[in-house]
């Protein structure tokens, strides 16, 4: 009789890939696999395949960003986390090893159902539940920034109208940043995940923090942030660059090569 094979030390948990490991961290924070799937914009069955079929490599960056956002004390609602993850999901690869032609959204908007004091949905004139803005995300590359980054301004204006919060991620040359990557002085209390790229650029996240280290990504007051944008003639990228230079975080001669704006409304 052929003897049974012994399991290797550590079992399946030791063999889990990065996507499964990060999903485990979200589960430890109180989320379930269905919610992880919603955050990634995918069917929950795909999340299960992170564990059973070693899939999920293209979602690692998005999962890592979401984990760090949650652990830093940022927004935990599905809409906000989905907006964050969308900007980090890598494109699919074709059989030839090239990026598949899949359009990625440069702007994402999420809504929530309006409820009364008893938690019941408020119905509109058409008998359907009323919706209101809850979070948004927009991205701009080098060429769009040079043209004024017009798609970013509506995000700021809507967040200001709803008394929301704003945080942003900047991409620039490594040598353009005046602080070393991950230093507390660069982004106190904010998730300090620095994405380093092979072209000698870095992505760094910023959000005004008044509660000190460990209090999470509180975000800039959207009304005040809009005032900065208005002072820069409506150019969001210029306003961000001015703030980085004035606060001593970026070299005055350095251009911004990429910008992501995240806005959300805190739960009332």
């Amino acid at each position: 009789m052929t003897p049974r094979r012994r399991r290797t030390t550590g079992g399946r948990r030791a063999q889990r890939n990065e996507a499964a490991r990060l999903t485990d961290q979200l589960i430890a924070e109180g989320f379930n696999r269905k919610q992880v799937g919603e955050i990634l914009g995918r069917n929950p069955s795909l999340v299960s395949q992170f564990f059973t079929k070693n899939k999920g490599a293209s979602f690692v960056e998005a999962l890592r960003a979401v984990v760090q956002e949650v652990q830093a004390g940022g927004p935990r609602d599905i809409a906000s986390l989905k907006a964050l993850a969308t900007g980090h999901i890598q494109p699919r690869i074709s059989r030839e090893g090239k990026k598949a032609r899949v359009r990625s959204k440069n702007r994402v908007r999420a809504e929530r159902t309006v409820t009364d004091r008893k938690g019941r949905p408020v119905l509109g004139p058409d008998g359907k539940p009323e919706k209101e803005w809850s979070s948004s995300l927009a991205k701009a590359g080098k060429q769009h920034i040079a043209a004024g980054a017009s798609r970013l301004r509506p995000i700021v204006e809507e967040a200001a109208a709803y008394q929301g919060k704003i945080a942003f991620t900047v991409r620039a040359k490594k040598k353009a940043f005046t602080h070393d990557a991950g230093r507390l002085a660069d982004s106190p209390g904010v998730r300090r995940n620095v994405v380093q790229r092979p072209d000698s650029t870095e992505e760094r996240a910023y959000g005004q923090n008044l509660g000190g280290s460990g209090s999470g990504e509180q975000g800039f007051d959207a009304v005040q942030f809009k005032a900065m944008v208005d002072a820069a003639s409506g150019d969001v990228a210029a306003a961000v660059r001015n703030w980085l230079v004035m606060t001593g975080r970026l070299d005055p001669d350095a251009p911004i090569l990429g910008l992501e704006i995240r806005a959300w409304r805190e739960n009332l």
Side-chain angles (χ1 to χ4, degrees):
M1 181 177 178
T2 304
R4 294 182 178 178
R5 293 182 180 179
R6 293 183 178 180
R7 293 183 178 179
T8 56
T9 304
R12 289 185 176 180
R13 184 173 294 274
Q15 301 173 14
R16 286 181 177 175
N17 62 18
E18 185 69 2
R21 187 186 68 80
L22 291 167
T23 300
D24 270 339
Q25 291 187 33
L26 287 175
I27 291 174
E29 291 287 342
F31 297 89
N32 55 43
R33 293 189 183 184
K34 180 180 179 181
Q35 291 172 321
V36 173
E38 291 176 357
I39 291 171
L40 296 176
R42 298 295 189 275
N43 192 290
S45 62
L46 177 60
V47 178
S48 296
Q49 292 178 27
F50 295 171
F51 300 85
T52 61
K53 296 185 178 180
N54 202 35
K55 292 188 176 183
S58 61
F59 298 99
V60 168
E61 186 178 342
L63 286 167
R64 186 176 292 119
V66 172
V67 168
Q68 291 173 340
E69 182 87 342
V70 170
Q71 291 179 345
R76 296 177 64 96
D77 62 283
I78 301 299
S80 296
L81 295 178
K82 183 176 181 180
L84 171 61
T86 300
H88 294 274
I89 294 177
Q90 299 177 3
R92 290 179 293 179
I93 303 300
S94 66
R95 293 180 180 179
E96 293 76 21
K98 298 179 181 179
K99 290 184 179 180
R101 292 186 177 181
V102 180
R103 290 185 178 180
S104 59
K105 293 183 179 180
N106 289 316
R107 200 158 109 190
V108 180
R109 185 182 189 276
E111 297 177 326
R112 66 170 63 138
T113 301
V114 179
T115 57
D116 59 21
R117 293 183 178 179
K118 295 184 179 181
R120 296 173 299 189
V122 175
L123 302 181
D126 57 356
K128 296 181 180 180
E130 291 187 359
K131 302 284 186 178
E132 64 181 8
W133 173 84
S134 62
S135 66
S136 294
L137 176 149
K139 298 186 293 183
K142 182 178 179 179
Q143 293 181 344
H144 196 66
I145 289 174
S150 59
R151 74 166 64 101
L152 302 180
R153 188 168 183 178
I155 305 297
V156 176
E157 292 178 340
E158 193 163 36
Y162 281 96
Q163 308 291 313
K165 299 290 185 179
I166 289 178
F168 54 85
T169 298
V170 175
R171 181 183 176 189
K173 289 288 185 180
K174 293 179 183 179
K175 62 182 181 181
F177 294 103
T178 57
H179 294 292
D180 293 333
R183 276 190 60 185
L184 192 65
D186 189 45
S187 52
V190 186
R191 56 185 182 88
R192 289 182 291 279
N193 59 314
V194 177
V195 178
Q196 297 184 337
R197 295 177 173 270
D199 60 355
S200 298
T201 63
E202 286 185 351
E203 292 182 1
R204 298 191 183 187
Y206 296 95
Q208 188 179 48
N209 184 280
L210 303 177
S213 178
S215 59
E217 185 179 61
Q218 296 178 332
F220 294 88
D221 178 85
V223 175
Q224 296 177 4
F225 193 89
K226 182 179 180 298
M228 290 195 327
V229 173
D230 291 340
S233 301
D235 191 327
V236 179
V240 168
R241 187 179 179 283
N242 291 341
W243 180 84
L244 290 170
V245 172
M246 286 190 299
T247 56
R249 290 172 166 85
L250 190 72
D251 189 295
D253 298 324
I256 291 178
L257 304 178
L259 179 61
E260 176 184 289
I261 299 289
R262 301 188 304 280
W264 68 93
R265 184 184 183 192
E266 295 181 319
N267 293 325
L268 300 178

